[in-house]
Amino acid sequence: MKTYFFLSISFLLLLMSCKHETEQKVNVANVELVPPPPAGEKSMAAADQLEDAGTANKPTASNLSITDTAKKIIKEGDIRFETDNPKAARQNIVSSLKKLGGYLAEENETNSGETNQKEYSLKIRIPSKNFDAFLSTLTSSTDHIESKNIHIRDVTTQFIDVRAEISNNKQLEQRYLQLAAKATKMTDLLAIEDKLASIRTTIDSAQGQLNYLSSQVSYSSLDISFYTRHPGEVNTGNGFAYKFKTAIGEGWEVLQNLFFALIALWPLMIGAIIFLLLIRRWKRRRKANIISEA
């Protein structure tokens, strides 16, 4: 009997022990472990530090591996001269431009109808290496130069600075792209996209400035204006046809001047008409008085 009692007690204790262990296992299984923060959650913190780090570690122009170390010179100027034959002078300029690889960028022509005088204004672009040769040819073929101004600017430092700015911003852009690949939050992605758009705008603007500088360095600009004070196309012949044509033109001009002169005297003409009407009226009254007295 006692043996049966102890066995019963032992069996109950064993059941209680098993139940307790099962509850502990269930409780442990239901506990959610907090995962470590993903790399994306740190993206914005790293992104905020990128620009400061990029500014602190920003490479100077001397640290950049710039292969083109030649000086960047911009040549531009203007020249004005007198010529007896503007058409021939223009033709010589265009011909010289073609030989030296230049081109005519802009052209304006002014023609005075009264004196039949012409003036040309040309804006030319020519490779910088041929600028001096073209200018020498132009001045040697000109008799009278009224003015000549040549400006030379060294933009080497500006050129290197712009290239350094582009390189720095491209490196910063790559870092933001790496952060965008690791980001998991939508807010982080949107913020990084805003940063990338701003950086891309800066790169495009600097690239446009660099392209403009390169164009100015590669091709020099020169404004050319020339004129004549002696009409080269006026016919000074003494033939009958020329004299007849000249007489008709002069007669028509005199008639025009007379017509406009009469129009300018309209107050005197109106006064004269009124005076004649008054005289006529006075004569009629006098005639009527004489008849009545007779």
Side-chain angles (χ1 to χ4, degrees), residues 134-152:
F134 174 81
L135 187 62
S136 177
T137 302
L138 180 62
T139 54
S140 62
S141 61
T142 303
D143 296 332
H144 175 69
I145 297 178
E146 184 175 312
S147 63
K148 182 177 73 171
N149 301 293
I150 305 299
H151 312 285
I152 298 176

Side-chain angles (χ1 to χ4, degrees), residues 39-201:
E41 293 183 359
K42 298 180 180 180
S43 59
M44 285 313 301
D48 293 336
Q49 297 176 359
L50 269 181
E51 289 182 329
D52 297 336
T55 304
N57 300 324
K58 185 176 181 180
T60 59
S62 59
N63 295 331
L64 292 175
S65 57
I66 299 177
T67 57
D68 187 5
T69 58
K71 279 185 173 293
K72 305 298 179 182
I73 305 296
I74 295 179
K75 293 182 180 180
E76 54 189 6
D78 59 85
I79 185 171
R80 179 177 175 84
F81 60 89
E82 180 183 354
T83 179
D84 293 333
N85 194 338
K87 286 187 176 181
R90 179 192 177 280
Q91 185 176 358
N92 292 334
I93 291 173
V94 174
S95 177
S96 180
L97 276 177
K98 291 181 179 179
K99 292 179 181 179
L100 297 176
Y103 63 92
L104 188 61
E106 185 178 344
E107 178 179 8
N108 295 306
E109 178 182 347
T110 304
N111 188 8
S112 176
E114 296 181 356
T115 59
N116 198 22
Q117 295 180 355
K118 289 186 178 182
E119 180 172 351
Y120 286 89
S121 298
L122 309 179
K123 185 177 184 64
I124 63 105
R125 300 293 304 279
I126 189 168
S128 299
K129 60 182 180 180
N130 297 330
F131 179 80
D132 294 335
F134 174 81
L135 187 62
S136 177
T137 302
L138 180 62
T139 54
S140 62
S141 61
T142 303
D143 296 332
H144 175 69
I145 297 178
E146 184 175 312
S147 63
K148 182 177 73 171
N149 301 293
I150 305 299
H151 312 285
I152 298 176
R153 290 189 296 147
D154 188 349
V155 294
T156 307
T157 303
Q158 184 179 357
F159 196 91
I160 295 177
D161 289 343
V162 174
R163 292 183 62 180
E165 181 182 359
I166 294 174
S167 177
N168 295 333
N169 281 283
K170 284 185 176 180
Q171 293 178 10
L172 188 61
E173 182 184 30
Q174 291 299 321
R175 296 177 187 174
Y176 273 111
L177 289 173
Q178 293 174 1
L179 289 178
K182 297 178 181 179
T184 57
K185 288 186 177 181
M186 183 59 66
T187 54
D188 293 345
L189 287 172
L190 292 176
I192 292 175
E193 287 294 334
D194 290 340
K195 293 285 188 180
L196 286 172
S198 177
I199 294 172
R200 175 48 56 186
T201 300

